């Protein structure tokens, strides 16, 4: 027996067969997103579009690196820190990666306690996640300052291919912007959790229906995406 949907008049009409039925499901949001809120669906769509942007950046970087005839700067030397009389390669990048991956764990715990409606632990873990994100951005600012002082520019650098500077500032800057906005929204949502806005249904921005901590989960989706993107940047830009 064919499935039925309702028209704007409330009358039932049969579901079209084949590809037309699939198109009808998606266009009317009857089955594809039946149990998914618009906020969560829109976040997934945003993350998908962002994936294409980061993918284009990384593909452009790899194309520039493989096509240039000028030697590419050695990341182990460029991103080394002079500590205790010796240069330690990628030590700052390793710490940044550890901090950001750790923040993914605290965000996952915040979402878990949000499901349990534990306001205090959810807010504390979200603020801890924001603090780790701010630490990451601070270390990235230090990294930028160090390289700019050493002569790295979007149009050149002292070590090799001129495309290195533009690729570095474009990719890490775009990612750092995402982390910065994530920290801001984490603080906003954490404040609303702490005040009990999601328990009382208090009207305002980023407030879902009473008793639902959905925005905590949506922030978790965004934050895990930012962490995952950094793993690819770390692998392709710093380790290659």
């Amino acid at each position: 027996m064919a499935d039925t949907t309702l028209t704007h008049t409330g009358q039932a009409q049969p579901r079209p067969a084949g590809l037309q039925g699939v198109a009808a499901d998606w266009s009317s949001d009857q089955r594809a997103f039946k149990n998914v809120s618009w906020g969560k669906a829109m976040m997934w769509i945003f993350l998908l579009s962002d994936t294409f942007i980061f993918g284009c950046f990384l593909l452009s970087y790899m194309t520039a690196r493989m096509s240039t005839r000028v030697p590419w700067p050695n990341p182990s030397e460029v991103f080394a820190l002079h500590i205790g009389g010796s240069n330690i390669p990628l030590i700052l990048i390793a710490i940044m990666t550890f901090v950001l991956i750790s923040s993914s764990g605290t965000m996952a715990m915040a979402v878990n306690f949000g499901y349990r409606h534990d306001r205090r632990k959810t807010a504390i873990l979200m603020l801890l996640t924001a603090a780790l994100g701010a630490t990451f951005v601070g270390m990235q600012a230090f990294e930028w300052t160090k390289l700019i002082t050493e002569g790295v520019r979007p149009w050149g650098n002292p070590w090799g291919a001129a495309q290195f500077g533009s690729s570095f500032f474009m990719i890490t800057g775009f990612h750092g912007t995402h982390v910065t906005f994530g920290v801001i929204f984490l603080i906003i949502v954490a404040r609303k959790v702490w005040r009990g806005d999601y328990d009382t249904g208090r009207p305002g921005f980023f407030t879902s229906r009473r008793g639902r901590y959905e925005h905590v989960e949506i922030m978790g989706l965004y934050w895990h995406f930012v962490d995952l993107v950094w793993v690819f940047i770390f692998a392709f830009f710093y380790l290659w």
Side-chain angles (χ1 to χ4, degrees):
M1 185 175 181
D3 293 335
T4 59
T5 57
L6 296 179
T7 65
H8 67 280
T9 60
Q11 297 177 346
Q13 63 177 3
R15 174 183 179 274
L19 293 177
Q20 289 184 347
V22 176
D25 285 346
W26 279 73
S27 61
S28 60
D29 190 30
Q30 292 297 315
R31 291 169 181 81
F33 298 110
K34 185 175 181 180
N35 297 317
V36 179
S37 69
W38 279 114
K40 194 182 298 184
M42 291 301 102
M43 176 55 73
W44 276 114
I45 293 173
F46 167 76
L47 296 182
L48 180 62
S49 64
D50 233 18
T51 300
F52 287 122
I53 297 175
F54 276 109
C56 289
F57 281 174
L58 289 174
L59 285 174
S60 299
Y61 150 71
M62 289 186 285
T63 301
R65 179 166 181 173
M66 290 185 293
S67 62
T68 181
R69 296 183 179 181
V70 181
W72 196 264
N74 186 354
S76 297
E77 298 176 0
V78 175
F79 300 106
L81 285 183
H82 190 75
I83 302 175
S86 60
N87 289 326
I88 303 179
L90 299 176
I91 181 64
L92 178 63
I93 312 304
I95 297 174
M96 291 168 61
T97 303
F98 175 78
V99 168
L100 200 60
I101 297 302
S102 298
S103 72
S104 188
T106 57
M107 188 68 236
M109 289 190 290
V111 174
N112 184 26
F113 283 111
Y115 282 135
R116 302 179 187 182
H117 292 195
D118 191 327
R119 288 195 298 116
R120 184 172 179 273
K121 291 182 180 179
T122 301
I124 291 175
L125 285 167
M126 291 189 74
L127 290 175
L128 179 58
T129 303
L132 291 171
T135 302
F136 174 88
V137 174
M139 289 188 290
Q140 192 172 64
F142 172 81
E143 177 190 35
W144 275 44
T145 303
K146 175 179 176 295
L147 293 181
I148 291 173
T149 303
E150 293 174 351
V152 179
R153 300 291 186 273
W155 53 84
N157 65 86
W159 302 291
Q163 297 93 327
F164 171 83
S166 59
S167 299
F168 170 76
F169 289 122
M170 177 182 67
I171 294 174
T172 61
F174 192 62
H175 178 265
T177 302
H178 279 68
V179 177
T180 302
F181 279 112
V183 169
I184 294 172
F185 285 110
L186 278 170
I187 295 173
I188 293 174
V189 176
R191 178 174 176 267
K192 296 181 76 66
V193 171
W194 185 267
R195 293 193 310 182
D197 290 4
Y198 297 117
D199 292 320
T200 62
R202 182 175 180 177
F205 293 106
F206 306 108
T207 301
S208 57
R209 284 178 288 181
R210 181 177 179 179
R212 298 187 63 180
Y213 282 66
E214 188 176 68
H215 283 93
V216 177
E217 183 181 1
I218 293 174
M219 279 303 310
L221 291 175
Y222 177 85
W223 197 257
H224 293 318
F225 170 79
V226 169
D227 292 351
L228 180 61
V229 168
W230 177 254
V231 171
F232 284 96
I233 295 175
F234 178 73
F236 287 103
F237 198 92
Y238 294 100
L239 297 183
W240 183 17

